[in-house]
Amino acid sequence: MGRCCCRCCCPRGLWMLSAPYYDDRRMCVCPGPRRIGIPVRSSSLPLFSDAMPAPTQLFFPLIRNCELSRIYGTACYCHHKHLCCSSPYVPQSRLRYTPHPAYATFCRPKENWWQYTQGRRYASTPQKFYLTPPQVNSILKANEYSFKVPEFDGKNVSSVLGFDSNQLPANAPIEDRRSAATCLQTRGMLLGVFDGHAGCACSQAVSERLFYYIAVSLLPHETLLEIENAVESGRALLPILQWHKHPNDYFSKEASKLYFNSLRTYWQELIDLNTGESADIDVKEALINAFKRLDNDISLEAQVGDPNSFLNYLVLRVAFSGATACVAHVDGVDLHVANTGDSRAMLGVQEEDGSWSAVTLSNDHNAQNERELERLKLEHPKNEAKSVVKQDRLLGLLMPFRAFGDVKFKWSIDLQKRVIESGPDQLNDNEYTKFIPPNYYTPPYLTAEPEVIYHRLRPQDKFLVLATDGLWETMHRQDVVRIVGEYLTGMHRQQPIAVGGYKVTLGQMHGLLTERRAKMSSVFEDQNAATHLIRHAVGNNEFGTVDHERLSKMLSLPEELARMYRDDITIIVVQFNSHVVGAYQNQE
Amino acid sequence: MFYRLLSVVQRQRTSQGWQNWSPARSGASTAEAHSVALPAQTQVVICGGGIMGTSVAYHLSKMGWKDIVLLEQGRLAAGSTRFCAGILSTARHLTIEQKMADYSNKLYHQLEQETGIHTGYIRTGSIFLAQNQDRLISLKRVNSRLNVIGIPSEIISLKRVAELHPLLNVHDLVGAMHVPEDAVVSSADVALALASAASQNGVQIYDRTSVVHVMVKKGQVTGVETDKGQIECQYFVNCAGQWAYELGLSNEEPISIPLHACEHFYLLTRPLETPLQSNTPTIVDADGRIYIRNWQGGILSGGFEKTPKPIFTEGKNQLEIQNLQEDWDHFEPLLSSLLRRMPELETLEIMKLVNCPETFTPDMRCIMGESPLVQGYFVLAGMNSAGLSFGGGAGKYLAEWMVHGYPSENVWELDLKRFGALQSSRTFLRHRVMEVMPLLYDLKVPRWDFQTGRQLRTSPLYDRLDAQGARWMEKHGFERPKYFVPPDKDLLALEQSKTFYKPDWFDIVESEVKCCKEAVCVIDMSSFTKFEITSTGDQALEILQYLFSNDLDVPVGHIVHTGMLNEGGGYENDCSIARLNKRSFFMISPTDQQVHCWAWLKKHMPKDSNLLLEDVTWKYTALNLIGPRAVDVLSELSYAPMTSDHFPSLFCKEMSVGYANGIRVMSMTHTGEPGFMLYIPIEYALHVYNEVMSVGQKYGIRNAGYYALRSLRIEKFFAFWGQDLNTLTTPLECGRESRVKLEKGMDFIGRDALLQQKQNGVYKRLTMFILDDHDTDLDLWPWWGEPIYRNGQYVGKTTSSAYSYTMERHVCLGFVHNFSEDTGEEQVVTPDFINRGEYEIDIAGHRFQAKAKLYPVTSLYTHKRRKDDVELSDLHGK
């Protein structure tokens, strides 16, 4: 269903691929696991594997190359990658630009050991390879981050207790991004997950910039003036955001000036537009404006270009790649979720009987959403009704129906050609960027405008899960909420066993209890709700319990295989302070 | 379900009994009728209708007290008593507990005959399993102690274990102990039978009546306020089980009864296909943390898990304990353990998991006795889940205590007064019982220290000493250094350090002891209880002369060792008293005497405003300078001559040490070694300590701890109150005639008893034993409570022991009795009797030869190094 065929037919056991099945996949011209599927013309494209960013140390800190190669050799179908993903078409591009300094931690040159000419290789004798539990933990915890809202005078007056976040890469480098920040000039906290496609440039840019646009949109007129005056007179600026970042969450220094100028233009316009009356700022409107404005700026920056060749190339990569965004703004009991694309926000609600239920606070913008299909059809002439969404993808290519960047779906053909021709060589040589989507008649086909859902927090709303589709495609929302809920309440909500009137033997009870304890012990391994959720998402067996063997296999996949079995997963779990929320309620 | 089931069973079983005693209460009336008319006045009010309350009522009425009212807030025997697993086990670690359980066993055995109420008493015996050698040693120790007090028990082979219990998996065991006379009984029915017998003896029982608080006037119980009206009374007995703490707090001047409840789980199953015989022995697998008994053809199995769940911390009151939630996940480790022990039970069907809270105390011993604050307020509670086993005996001792003023056995270990108010905060109790409950089935090894609820009371030097490697023990909430670990030495982790053999600190203490003998050591002894008694006239001297056996009318500056005796001549306290001036005395007692001694003094002192008693424990830090060079250190610090000509032994003087004035220096060390005690006002403590350490450096000074002190004092035959001495031992029985002045010109408490004893001779004698064929490295170490054999005959038990580094032998102190071979009666013990005997000490079933001594080995005092013994290493700093 909109997912790559590899996933749907993925057997549970990793080592059981059979030859016919393998053949099927190779011939498959259906879209691959990536968001953008390019129709395959030839399967014998050269594989510039050495141009691919390598798995990070974070991934496989403990696996030796030879071990990897063994796994790889056992179940290789890496050539499948070019069927579905864009990178083989831009083999040099990734190499030719100087990697961003921060990339250094992510990328290292890949050894050639696994480079091989594609050919038919069949799964040979299954080989067992297991990571030890501490190895598994070090992989799972590499990117975890927790933030607790500081208490003042022993009391936390914020409606947010804190948040846990984590991400597990499947792509190399990971294309997901996450952001969290506290608004300093207004109240409230911003949290967001960003799922990039066709590279990570766009998601990176959005993760750095979007919250500033939102914060600025929320600022009252006087504050904007004050900031502008400070810039003008060279005084110290008021800080707008307090970021809560994991060391791996980097910001690009080179583009900082460029980004600032765009932002400044935005607030200058806001100042000019202001009529003087200090009307209450509508959060919903602010969010929509910020999203649209940022996308607009991304587009403009790419059209204008930059004299600095590195920056010029960067803005183009940002514009030609894409990203979805799911952002939550929490201020007291007011929760706004702005969503563009197919990441999701899920509210964990604890019922009176202690059980957990999930309330969805975002709509996926993809082919599964009737209203989105409807919208697309209305926005384009009737004769395009059949071509605008094909095989559940926008123009048969793109899975999310809304996204940042992706100017290939926004610009006119003329504009695209002009920019590419005047752009740097890397862009010119890139087959993907040059490729114009089929049936491209009435652009734009894509928008970054978010759908904003407002929710007034109640004491029973205990937490919010923001996650990219990597999580939602492996786990049902109900399970997600239950697992997080049980984790946060320390598991004592686990339904107690009562013998009641049933006939239970000591042996049966013992088996049941041992199983429950195994389940519980996985909770105690994690200090982070997001990590715990990833552990379940990756390691859950048929019974909904974490199976270490499975977890170990999934995590020891070489990067090329990883993408076949899972997507990047990024999760933020925001915990609400029921006491504060309750107090708000009582005030009114 | 169990609840209902049990009550059905009860009704059937006890119908006869209830009919018996219902009319007896008030002439054919119901409980409702009773509740209307509480008597306005009675002698004793007992609160609590569980096994404790009914047992106290039963014994009081047997001893002739008739005017007794028993109040129960719910129904009789409806609290923990109802849910008790019903196992009566005599294999206890304390002798007093063994005696209580033994008495209970005998009492319950004949109770059905006496009252006609079916109690379900079945003599099943019990088997204690050992999964490892240490456990087996522990069982052997208990076994030898059980045998000498006449409870049959034996260490049995695994083959025999398998014979005794058909379902048991014995493959992972190393041994077991069989106690054939242990029993199972329905505790609720026992309580009802006791109540029935008591009511036949005139005790009035009212259920559904709860005590609101106890009325007190001038430190004396005057009555009880209940929800149904007031009752005047002279005695109140708090047997409120887990609510005893709350009830104590409800008083205007709160009475602290430190206990706390934890949830306790046991499992009931349906009958086996071939139902278990009703006399199948009870199994205790302490290493597996479980007990298993037969129950209606199936089994009942519970245990004491490593992670207890404390409950009712906030003092939630429930009339009758409703069946609390079953928590199977919590029970899982115990269930695993059960299935490992009895694998065949896999297919057995579960009936119910019962959750019945049990009450635990901070030191795993029950609480009985009179409140130190309120006369006539008695307590019996905190049974650490052995209420059924102790019920009979504890009730008896408490009844004796109330009727005679003291119980027939030494119960100091269980006395409420061993606790201060300081160990009774809810937080402390909650934390401590979480350690105590698992400890029930943990290995009980020598020198165990509690890990929770620590660092409550500390000396101002605590941090300094801790930084120098001090390891700490706790007494009465006070931290005391055990020994100092040198920086280059590592000790074992807590769990690994548990041993019945030579401990890992042996060498460390050895060097501390050596330093005490050859140079000088400093020990922080601030925990000792310190009182000051002052008066305007001679009142202080008069009252002290009446309370203490030695003559205290000594010149100012003298220190007197003396006992505070009871009417029977037994030691209520053993202390040192310094006469500060004509009208003021400074009294030093053991640490755990703080509450008991205070209560005793208060009770006997006239209400005279001219007489002032003050607890100054917290005002002084005490440093003990032990060793031949202590003189040099102190004279250098004070510029005063400290030699025995100027500062004779047992002398006290206020002087300056370093910059600090007003330090009370006393020439005694509690060890028999030369040296001084410094009582330092706390603000000077750090200064004096620093001065002593820096000046002492050239004399080889070092820190030492209590283990060194203990070794020194035991090798010198210094008995300590609470360990060797108790309320039933007189000065004459421990060779302290010199500390008793029968002819000091005035009467004192206990004089008559001592006079009589002097005439008749003593029936037991504290003796020092030096183990002869004991290998310190390889043999089990003595601890305390080991049986002493004279010419193969059991004559008594040891009270304390230590390794003497000077004699390079183990030394035990213990009492020798002279039991008549024919009648078993106690006879006079003469020095001759002691000296003309071959002695053996039984350590976990192995007997070691020992030499008996009535007086300390004199050569220890005249220890002088010969010139040619001096080594280069003697020049090293210690």
Side-chain angles (χ1 to χ4, degrees), chain A residues 504-507 510 516-517, chain B residues 329 332 336 346 348-350:
Chain A
V504 186
T505 68
L506 290 178
H510 185 231
R516 279 162 70 95
R517 199 166 58 137
Chain B
D329 292 303
E332 190 270 336
S336 299
E346 284 258 346
L348 189 58
E349 197 187 321
I350 294 166

Side-chain angles (χ1 to χ4, degrees), chain B residues 88-369:
Chain B
L88 195 150
S89 155
T90 49
R92 302 281 157 191
H93 284 267
L94 292 178
T95 304
I96 184 70
E97 292 179 344
Q98 290 174 349
K99 284 180 178 166
M100 289 197 304
D102 188 39
Y103 173 82
S104 304
N105 196 354
K106 289 175 177 137
L107 175 70
Y108 303 162
H109 183 51
Q110 53 83 44
L111 203 57
E112 188 166 342
Q113 209 179 5
E114 182 186 334
T115 61
I117 293 175
H118 185 70
T119 58
Y121 182 94
I122 302 168
R123 189 157 275 180
T124 58
S126 50
I127 303 172
F128 295 80
L129 307 180
Q131 289 187 21
N132 52 57
Q133 288 298 337
D134 275 343
R135 176 71 63 184
L136 191 57
I137 291 167
S138 182
L139 290 179
K140 282 176 176 169
R141 292 183 59 93
V142 172
N143 182 56
S144 25
R145 299 227 294 252
L146 282 176
N147 287 334
V148 297
I149 63 166
I151 301 172
S153 72
E154 58 175 335
I155 301 294
I156 56 173
S157 68
L158 297 182
K159 202 175 147 213
R160 180 88 183 107
V161 174
E163 281 168 20
L164 285 168
H165 202 296
L167 297 172
L168 222 48
N169 164 28
V170 298
H171 300 302
D172 55 347
L173 301 178
V174 298
M177 177 174 76
H178 184 214
V179 187
E181 289 187 4
D182 278 357
V184 295
V185 62
S186 156
S187 52
D189 291 341
V190 165
L192 293 177
L194 290 171
S196 152
S199 93
Q200 270 167 352
N201 280 333
V203 175
Q204 295 166 276
I205 297 173
Y206 298 86
D207 57 4
R208 298 176 206 286
T209 309
S210 51
V211 174
V212 180
H213 65 91
V214 178
M215 296 178 291
V216 176
K217 247 184 214 147
K218 290 182 184 162
Q220 167 76 43
V221 170
T222 58
V224 174
E225 175 91 48
T226 75
D227 59 349
K228 306 247 167 79
Q230 288 188 354
I231 309 176
E232 275 181 40
C233 65
Q234 288 111 50
Y235 293 93
F236 176 75
V237 188
N238 181 344
C239 295
Q242 32 209 346
W243 317 122
Y245 177 79
E246 295 298 319
L247 184 57
L249 288 189
S250 73
N251 259 33
E252 203 171 322
E253 189 181 358
I255 291 168
S256 93
I257 303 162
L259 48 82
H260 195 288
C262 285
E263 290 181 47
H264 173 62
F265 295 90
Y266 62 80
L267 170 80
L268 294 173
T269 72
R270 305 219 174 266
L272 286 134
E273 259 178 53
T274 43
L276 276 181
Q277 298 279 303
S278 62
N279 62 353
T280 313
T282 299
I283 303 295
V284 176
D285 180 4
D287 297 307
R289 306 198 151 274
I290 49 165
Y291 58 80
I292 311 157
R293 61 162 278 201
N294 73 78
W295 185 76
Q296 302 191 351
I299 61 138
L300 180 162
S301 171
F304 298 99
E305 62 273 19
K306 264 199 142 36
T307 51
K309 292 168 77 178
I311 189 172
F312 306 138
T313 308
E314 303 81 12
K316 186 171 137 203
N317 198 333
Q318 294 183 343
L319 286 185
E320 291 165 27
I321 299 167
Q322 301 302 320
N323 206 348
L324 293 149
Q325 252 196 342
E326 53 191 321
D327 185 343
W328 278 100
D329 292 303
H330 192 69
F331 194 71
E332 190 270 336
L334 301 180
L335 180 59
S336 299
S337 188
L338 172 66
L339 290 177
R340 181 174 137 189
R341 191 52 53 221
M342 297 185 182
E344 285 170 48
L345 298 187
E346 284 258 346
T347 54
L348 189 58
E349 197 187 321
I350 294 166
M351 181 159 151
K352 192 164 180 63
L353 185 67
V354 182
N355 179 355
C356 63
E358 291 281 357
T359 316
F360 298 89
T361 61
D363 58 359
M364 220 177 11
R365 299 187 228 132
C366 75
I367 295 172
M368 64 159 70

Side-chain angles (χ1 to χ4, degrees), chain A residues 319-574:
Chain A
F320 276 91
S321 59
T324 71
C326 184
V327 174
H329 177 262
V330 197
D331 177 8
V333 285
D334 299 318
L335 169 64
H336 287 86
V337 175
N339 184 45
T340 286
D342 55 5
S343 293
R344 234 181 251 174
M346 199 67 64
L347 193 65
V349 181
Q350 189 166 31
E351 304 295 345
E352 271 174 19
D353 64 357
S355 66
W356 294 94
S357 60
V359 173
T360 317
L361 289 183
S362 65
N363 296 312
D364 295 354
H365 300 135
N366 59 17
Q368 275 67 54
N369 184 339
E370 288 296 330
R371 281 195 302 166
E372 280 294 287
L373 286 170
E374 203 67 15
R375 174 182 66 83
L376 275 170
K377 282 174 188 165
L378 279 174
E379 284 174 2
H380 298 278
K382 274 220 172 87
N383 55 356
E384 285 187 51
K386 278 191 178 158
S387 62
V388 70
V389 175
K390 262 185 163 175
Q391 288 160 331
D392 282 348
R393 291 178 177 235
L394 186 66
L395 299 176
L397 296 173
L398 191 63
M399 278 193 339
F401 289 179
R402 302 190 193 191
F404 283 93
D406 282 329
V407 289
K408 293 166 58 58
F409 298 87
K410 290 174 179 164
W411 289 351
S412 66
I413 296 175
D414 280 355
L415 182 58
Q416 288 192 37
K417 283 189 172 154
R418 208 171 64 230
V419 169
I420 290 168
E421 273 160 24
S422 65
D425 298 345
Q426 299 104 311
L427 204 62
N428 236 337
D429 296 346
N430 187 325
E431 298 222 13
Y432 166 67
T433 39
K434 277 203 284 193
F435 164 79
I436 301 290
N439 305 312
Y440 198 76
Y441 309 119
T442 51
Y445 286 88
L446 194 63
T447 173
E449 177 171 339
E451 196 176 350
V452 180
I453 293 180
Y454 170 74
H455 179 82
R456 194 185 152 81
L457 287 174
R458 306 156 298 170
Q460 63 264 39
D461 301 333
K462 301 296 181 188
F463 59 87
L464 179 75
V465 180
L466 296 173
T468 54
D469 62 339
L471 174 72
W472 305 112
E473 65 196 18
T474 54
M475 284 181 91
H476 191 266
R477 59 200 188 115
Q478 190 58 45
D479 292 334
V480 168
V481 164
R482 183 182 50 79
I483 287 167
V484 173
E486 285 174 358
Y487 172 82
L488 291 178
T489 49
M491 223 37 207
H492 45 74
R493 299 282 176 200
Q494 190 175 32
Q495 214 63 35
I497 303 180
V499 179
Y502 299 104
K503 277 190 144 191
V504 186
T505 68
L506 290 178
Q508 286 167 337
M509 178 59 85
H510 185 231
L512 185 64
L513 293 176
T514 320
E515 198 177 287
R516 279 162 70 95
R517 199 166 58 137
K519 201 163 150 190
M520 232 181 302
S521 68
S522 79
V523 173
F524 295 123
E525 269 174 320
D526 297 322
Q527 281 83 53
N528 183 303
T531 310
H532 186 62
L533 206 44
I534 291 180
R535 189 186 295 277
H536 275 274
V538 179
N540 261 10
N541 59 15
E542 298 83 348
F543 311 109
T545 53
V546 175
D547 176 354
H548 176 76
E549 197 175 313
R550 183 178 164 81
L551 193 58
S552 161
K553 278 178 187 166
M554 290 296 276
L555 292 177
S556 53
L557 291 172
E559 72 189 41
E560 294 310 310
L561 285 182
R563 189 58 191 87
M564 306 295 136
Y565 287 89
R566 55 184 162 85
D567 195 357
D568 292 337
I569 299 177
T570 299
I571 300 171
I572 298 179
V573 178
V574 192

